[in-house]
Amino acid sequence: MEESGDWRPVSHGCQTAASRSISGAMLDLSDRIRSRCCHDAPSVLRVRTEERSRVKEIMAAHDDHDRWMAICLQAAEEAARAGDFPNGACVVVEQQVVAISGSEAEHGTDSTAHAEVASLRKAVASGDLPRGATLFTTLEPCAMCLHSAAVAGVKEIVFACSRSEVGDDAYVSKLDATAMAKQLIQPLTLTHHGDPNGRVSKLVLRFLSHDGR
């Protein structure tokens, strides 16, 4: 595996979910301190402590996201070495990784075994896929993977590299998962984590160039 980079979300003209949460917490802290500072100094201290704790929890969750995305990247690199499409995914339940898979669609007998679908199947096979799981993946999901996750009761999909960073050649249709997620009856959040140093996009674009797409 290549030297691990910084997997903190990057901003391309907009804030990521993690940075918005942190900014919101800090702004909320400031507002609440201003509203109470003229009335009750001990209350200000309590607010500060509570909000500091909340920001710490957000940062801790973000660090977990980095680690889980690194697991996905390793699975993607292993798939690439095997000559398969370089995508990796893992299923997280209650802060624990319960299944990991790279893409198995190119050279296996099942062309639907994208990394996301394969990891969901492994979680089911191990009996560890309750509703409300989080699916991490190196690449923005295709329509099939999005719907599979929704049917499985996944509450959130966190992806590193967006479709716009690799182009439509990495997909089998022009259906956009981000737009489709808004049409789902079962609520499902799509979160763009970011692709530091373009590590995922480089893997995908290299595969596409060799594959002749």
Side-chain angles (χ1 to χ4, degrees):
M1 184 172 172
E2 296 175 10
E3 185 69 22
S4 122
D6 186 355
W7 277 90
R8 291 180 176 83
V10 292
S11 175
H12 299 286
C14 63
Q15 287 182 305
T16 61
S19 63
R20 281 196 299 271
S21 298
I22 295 165
S23 298
M26 296 309 293
L27 286 171
D28 186 48
L29 167 63
S30 176
D31 290 343
R32 291 172 68 179
I33 288 174
R34 277 199 298 271
S35 69
R36 295 190 186 192
C37 66
C38 298
H39 304 287
D40 185 1
S43 292
V44 173
L45 293 176
R46 277 200 302 275
V47 170
R48 250 188 218 135
T49 302
E50 289 166 5
E51 294 305 313
R52 263 202 215 104
S53 176
R54 188 153 70 101
V55 171
K56 200 171 179 181
E57 285 174 9
I58 293 168
M59 292 300 291
H62 172 51
D63 290 341
D64 283 339
H65 281 201
D66 288 347
R67 286 193 289 271
W68 294 326
M69 198 58 79
I71 289 171
C72 294
L73 178 62
Q74 185 174 31
E77 290 173 333
E78 289 172 359
R81 284 193 289 272
D84 217 304
F85 187 84
N87 191 25
C90 71
V91 179
V92 175
V93 176
E94 296 180 351
Q95 303 295 100
Q96 297 294 321
V97 175
V98 299
I100 305 166
S101 184
S103 175
E104 301 171 355
E106 291 290 325
H107 298 298
T109 57
D110 184 0
S111 59
T112 68
H114 293 189
E116 298 91 337
V117 171
S119 64
L120 289 170
R121 288 173 177 166
K122 288 179 180 179
V124 169
S126 66
D128 284 323
L129 189 59
R131 301 189 76 78
T134 302
L135 177 63
F136 285 78
T137 176
T138 50
L139 189 62
E140 184 174 350
C142 68
M144 178 188 72
C145 293
L146 175 74
H147 278 90
S148 296
V151 170
V154 168
K155 69 174 181 180
E156 182 181 17
I157 298 176
V158 182
F159 63 93
C161 181
S162 68
R163 181 179 185 133
S164 62
E165 294 172 80
V166 295
D168 289 341
D169 286 346
Y171 296 82
V172 296
S173 78
K174 292 185 182 272
L175 295 172
D176 181 77
T178 301
M180 291 175 67
K182 298 174 184 176
Q183 305 300 319
L184 293 171
I185 295 173
Q186 171 71 32
L188 193 160
T189 302
L190 277 176
T191 302
H192 184 194
H193 183 275
D195 179 17
N197 304 316
R199 295 175 69 190
V200 175
S201 60
K202 286 172 187 173
L203 275 175
V204 174
L205 293 173
R206 188 182 306 131
F207 173 85
L208 295 177
S209 66
H210 292 163
D211 196 48
R213 297 192 196 183

